[in-house]
Amino acid sequence: MTRKRKSKADPVAERPAPSARVAEAIAAARTNQDAHPVRPTMNCEYEGNAFSIRPAHNDPEGALAFVKDTFGTASGTYVTALILQVVRALGTNEAAQDQTMLNSALAFVGAVSPENEVESALAMQMWTTHSLAMEMAGRIRGARHIPELQAYGNLTTKLQRTFTAQLEALSKLRRGGEQVVRHIHVDNRGGQ
């Protein structure tokens, strides 16, 4: 039995309605969305070789304040430098793709909720490391030869380990470098 592929994408109207349970879950998810923090978003534009980042709304001072707050800093220059670094590291010179990556990075940094410039730099490194790990993992599927497969696999593994180390560094930074040691006394008298 062969399946026919549709040449056009399915219009939404032709798809079946969600089941009652799925519709209930969707309604709950919509309600939960209001409880999540709002993250800043920016627009990326290329005009020739010039790259610009603009707010997604008409309040540029408010957007800058929002992004600075997200990064845990009062420095607009610092924020601009970090944003340019992540776009250079992950950018494609395709405005829509770079905008998606930048806004994803802003959401990630917001989730980390850095308290200062050191934590926000680490958060951006973590986002970049994660993004590159996922890119390398995606390239594994397209590898045609064993050395290529091994190279992408090794890079993926190293990047994932680096991400874990960065997460541990953030945790240690927030603890003030203190190591937590718990002593547990087990009384084993009379037990087996």
Side-chain angles (χ1 to χ4, degrees), residues 63-150:
L64 180 59
F66 192 9
V67 173
K68 289 191 304 187
D69 186 56
T70 299
F71 279 76
T73 186
S75 172
T77 303
Y78 175 77
V79 166
T80 301
L82 275 183
I83 287 174
L84 288 174
Q85 288 168 355
V86 80
V87 170
R88 283 188 191 126
L90 301 171
T92 62
N93 291 337
E94 177 71 35
Q97 291 178 15
D98 289 352
Q99 184 169 306
T100 297
M101 293 304 285
L102 173 59
N103 289 323
S104 297
L106 291 172
F108 183 87
V109 171
V112 171
S113 191
E115 296 177 11
N116 55 47
E117 292 82 358
V118 173
E119 288 186 8
S120 60
L122 186 54
M124 285 299 265
Q125 288 177 18
M126 291 168 67
W127 169 249
T128 303
T129 301
H130 167 74
S131 298
L132 291 172
M134 295 301 98
E135 183 178 329
M136 291 303 110
R139 289 184 182 188
I140 290 171
R141 297 187 115 190
R144 300 284 183 241
H145 305 287
I146 297 296
E148 187 180 14
L149 179 68
Q150 289 173 331

Side-chain angles (χ1 to χ4, degrees), residues 6 9-17:
K6 292 184 179 181
D10 264 347
V12 175
E14 291 181 15
R15 297 180 197 155

Side-chain angles (χ1 to χ4, degrees), residues 21-71:
R21 288 187 66 200
V22 171
E24 186 178 309
I26 290 170
R30 285 186 173 139
T31 301
N32 292 339
Q33 287 297 299
D34 292 336
H36 291 288
V38 175
R39 305 293 187 212
T41 56
M42 304 298 280
N43 290 338
C44 295
E45 298 173 9
Y46 286 94
E47 295 171 16
N49 288 335
F51 173 72
S52 64
I53 302 168
R54 294 188 172 91
H57 49 74
N58 67 357
D59 183 3
E61 291 84 17
L64 180 59
F66 192 9
V67 173
K68 289 191 304 187
D69 186 56
T70 299
F71 279 76

